[in-house]
Every structure is written in structure tokens, then in C-alpha cells.
Amino acid sequence: MGPDEELLGVVVHSGLVLGRSRDVVVAIRRITAFPSGLALDTVVLARDIHAEAAGRREQAASAHRRAAEMAQREDEAAAQQDSQAAAQREGPAARERHHALKQAMIEQRYLPSFGEGDSLRLGATTPAGEARWLDAYASSSSRTEGHYRLEAAYWLTPLPVDGLLTLACAWPEIGLPETQTDLILPDLAVRAAEAFSLWDFAEDAEA
């Protein structure tokens, strides 16, 4: 889930360091407002043993995801065979019911796990003071000897009430403890409403 790709949002904040230790730093490059939420573009830099830890975490998580995807495909193939057998015994309606049930069970079993420590945790605090962790809708990383870099974009919806936003970030597995940062984004709803469709701009240019 992320912002509407056909909308051009409005940058409402940029250049904010959220947390750092001696060899790890995380920052917000920009916060872009849309009518339905905020896009948060972040960067993480790590060096020395912390960069090595980040690289190991990422490799282990990638291997785990590949294994899970293979296992899911095998389970889905087996479920398809079971559904066909059910259809032969009880008819097409039974096959559809059986297939829907099996598919729901498989999808639940292989939901992404957010405990592998393979990426930055970024969230917004709830009124109760707890962090609601966000999923990255886009990310890329690079590694060189002794250095690690992660660029990730997160989506927060709905828009924070009155433009008040508390962000929490953490990646303790590579040496970044949880920190919180308070932000005030003035006139957020008004500015978010200024986002416009790229197609509208193209039509204006042709007129």
C-alpha cells in the first residue's frame, strides 16, 4: 500500500535525523502529503560491524522469504489437487468452498513476519502511546566493504489529526535503539489537498 502513483503530492517536511548511534544513522529525506496519507522517504547508513550486521540480516531474511515462497507454492499445488478431488466426490460447489478455505489458510500461514530484524522499523505512535509499525512499500539497499545503505519509503494513513505526528524508529539488531521524534506539520490537511493528478497537468500543457 502506498500513495496514488498518478498524484503529485506536496512536500511538507524534509531533512530530519530521527536517530543515530556512533555507526548508524537514520533520517527522513522528505515527507510528502497526499489527501489520504503521508509518504515518508527514509535513509539508513551503517558502517563497520554494524554494516556487516545489516547485510547479514538482509541476506538471512531474503533466504527465508525465498524458502517461504517455495513452500507456499508447494502448498498451493497440493491444495489444488485436494480441491479437484473434492469436486469429483461432491461437485463443483464443494470444490470452490474447499479451495477458498485452503487458500485462506495458506495465506494466513505465510503472512510476512515482522520480527526478522531485516529492515528499519518505522512507525507512528497511537493515542495510547504505542508505536504502530509501518510497512515499507518501496526499498532498495547497497553494500560495500564496511558500509551499508538502505533507502525505504513508508506510507502512513490517515493524515495525522491537526498535523501532530510522533515518529518512532528502531533497528536494534544493528545497533540503533528505539527513538521518538515529535513533529508539527502546520495546515497539513490544506496542503495535502493541493496534491494534483499528473494527468491534469498533462492536459493543461496540451491546451
Side-chain angles (χ1 to χ4, degrees):
M1 181 65 178
D4 186 336
E5 295 181 350
E6 296 187 356
L7 284 181
L8 190 63
V10 178
V11 175
V12 294
H13 203 85
S14 62
L16 174 68
V17 174
L18 294 179
R20 68 169 302 149
S21 61
R22 179 176 177 180
D23 294 308
V24 184
V25 60
V26 56
I28 292 280
R29 285 195 180 280
R30 70 189 64 83
I31 300 176
T32 307
F34 297 83
S36 57
L38 297 175
L40 309 166
D41 295 312
T42 66
V43 59
V44 179
L45 300 179
R47 60 190 177 189
D48 300 331
I49 61 172
H50 303 277
E52 295 172 6
R56 287 195 302 270
R57 288 280 177 178
E58 188 175 76
Q59 289 177 341
S62 296
H64 175 78
R65 282 192 292 269
R66 287 194 298 270
E69 289 168 359
M70 182 177 296
Q72 182 174 355
R73 286 195 295 269
E74 292 173 352
D75 282 356
E76 288 174 345
Q80 183 68 24
Q81 293 178 351
D82 290 346
S83 297
Q84 291 172 352
Q88 292 176 353
R89 292 192 308 268
E90 305 172 39
R95 175 186 181 281
E96 292 301 324
R97 290 195 302 273
H98 186 274
H99 178 72
L101 177 60
K102 282 285 188 178
Q103 190 64 33
M105 293 172 61
I106 290 171
E107 290 175 357
Q108 182 67 30
R109 184 184 308 161
Y110 292 103
L111 283 174
S113 173
F114 192 78
E116 298 161 2
D118 62 315
S119 191
L120 171 71
R121 296 170 177 81
L122 181 71
T125 59
T126 67
E130 299 178 350
R132 176 166 65 91
W133 300 112
L134 308 174
D135 293 325
Y137 66 86
S139 66
S140 63
S141 63
S142 61
R143 296 191 300 274
T144 58
E145 185 175 356
H147 291 83
Y148 174 87
R149 180 188 192 93
L150 172 70
E151 301 269 358
Y154 297 82
W155 177 243
L156 172 62
T157 186
L159 288 172
V161 176
D162 297 327
L164 303 178
L165 177 62
T166 298
L167 293 174
C169 72
W171 197 349
E173 293 83 0
I174 70 166
L176 184 70
E178 182 175 330
T179 62
Q180 291 192 353
T181 304
D182 295 323
L183 283 174
I184 300 178
L185 305 174
D187 304 319
L188 180 58
V190 174
R191 299 176 73 185
E194 295 173 355
F196 62 88
S197 170
L198 290 168
W199 291 115
D200 291 343
F201 181 81
E203 291 172 358
D204 290 342
E206 293 174 357

